[in-house]
Amino acid sequence: MEEQKSNVRAVERALDILLCFTAGTDLAMTEIADRVGLHKSTVHRMLATLEDKGFITRDRVTDRYRLGMRVWELSAHLSNNDDPAIIWLPEMERLRDMLGETVSLYVRDGKERIRIQAVQSNQAVRRVAPVGVRLPLYVGASSKVLIAFADSQEREAIMADASWPSSIDAGLFREQLEDIRRNGYATSIEEREPGAAAVAAPIFNRSGRLAAALSISGPANRLTREIMKEHAPVIMNSARLMGTMLK
């Protein structure tokens, strides 16, 4: 039993090391050790094993690590037929071309939201939205959509969590969520990032369960409250269409 637990811990540690590369593509061993909270000698041994298996590659000049080709080999076998980020891409591109702003797709993962797909605006001044970024769940139009349209137990659990900022008035936030559910969309202006604005709508699967949040974002001087109100029906229509594409 003890040997089994030790093996499981080793697997968890190896996965934690790989997950470090969701926040950076080029890392030193000391950076990895700090992020996973392990001694450098332990990390060094695990990196060597991952390198032998092709999951990690080391630059012999800089002594920094990157993901190896084996990761890309695995990703190549993901089923595009079942991946919403792929299925929804044409509609996201159509929405970008229609409204002229960056289009993003978010899902909730615990206490955070993750951008799983993005189509960048073609305008000279635009908001760049890198895929894979994790963002706080308590601020931003997409975050509010992911909370507002979650089931009531999930919604209360999110707001009752110790990580929820005490500076946010729970009563006022609940009122805002009620407005979002009633209107069918959420907006934000400079809530997370100065000079940026966004409007988001929920995507529901065929069972009526929340699947993701669809948003457009751009400079606040271009995405004014009036413009976002005009865009909202278009975004909600795209979200409804995207929901019908799910199995």
Side-chain angles (χ1 to χ4, degrees), residues 23-43:
T25 58
D26 184 77
L27 300 172
M29 186 183 68
T30 52
E31 293 176 294
I32 297 171
D34 288 342
R35 293 185 184 192
V36 298
L38 295 173
H39 194 275
K40 286 189 289 186
S41 62
T42 302
V43 172

Side-chain angles (χ1 to χ4, degrees), residues 149-205:
F149 293 97
D151 67 49
S152 58
Q153 287 186 330
E154 285 181 303
R155 191 161 58 244
E156 289 305 315
I158 291 167
M159 296 182 63
D161 191 271
S163 64
W164 189 262
S166 58
S167 58
I168 297 178
D169 185 290
L172 291 176
F173 195 83
R174 285 188 178 90
E175 289 179 10
Q176 190 175 18
L177 296 180
E178 287 293 338
D179 288 339
I180 292 167
R181 285 197 293 275
R182 183 166 51 251
N183 295 328
Y185 69 94
T187 62
S188 63
I189 297 178
E190 298 186 317
E191 288 187 8
R192 188 183 62 83
E193 184 180 336
V199 54
I203 299 174
F204 298 103
N205 62 23

Side-chain angles (χ1 to χ4, degrees), residues 6-16 46:
S6 178
N7 290 337
V8 170
R9 281 197 298 271
V11 173
E12 289 177 342
R13 289 171 173 176
L15 291 173
D16 285 341
M46 304 201 81

Side-chain angles (χ1 to χ4, degrees), residues 55-136:
F55 288 95
I56 292 289
T57 183
R58 179 166 67 94
D59 188 313
R60 296 299 193 270
V61 176
T62 63
D63 203 30
R64 295 177 72 84
Y65 294 84
R66 298 184 180 89
L67 291 176
M69 291 303 298
R70 189 56 59 89
V71 174
W72 309 123
E73 289 176 27
L74 288 174
S75 67
H77 293 283
L78 286 171
S79 174
N80 288 349
N81 293 329
D82 298 324
D83 186 353
I86 301 298
I87 294 170
W88 290 335
L89 188 56
E91 179 60 22
M92 294 175 69
E93 291 174 339
R94 189 188 73 85
L95 189 62
R96 183 270 314 274
D97 294 341
M98 184 184 302
L99 301 182
E101 302 293 354
T102 294
V103 181
S104 298
L105 196 65
Y106 293 92
V107 296
R108 181 168 73 87
D109 183 26
K111 305 170 188 177
E112 299 174 304
R113 58 179 162 119
I114 306 174
R115 186 182 292 123
I116 62 169
Q117 185 62 281
V119 178
Q120 312 297 340
S121 168
N122 292 324
Q123 302 205 49
V125 178
R126 63 181 183 268
R127 187 163 180 270
V128 177
V131 173
V133 169
R134 287 179 173 268
L135 298 169

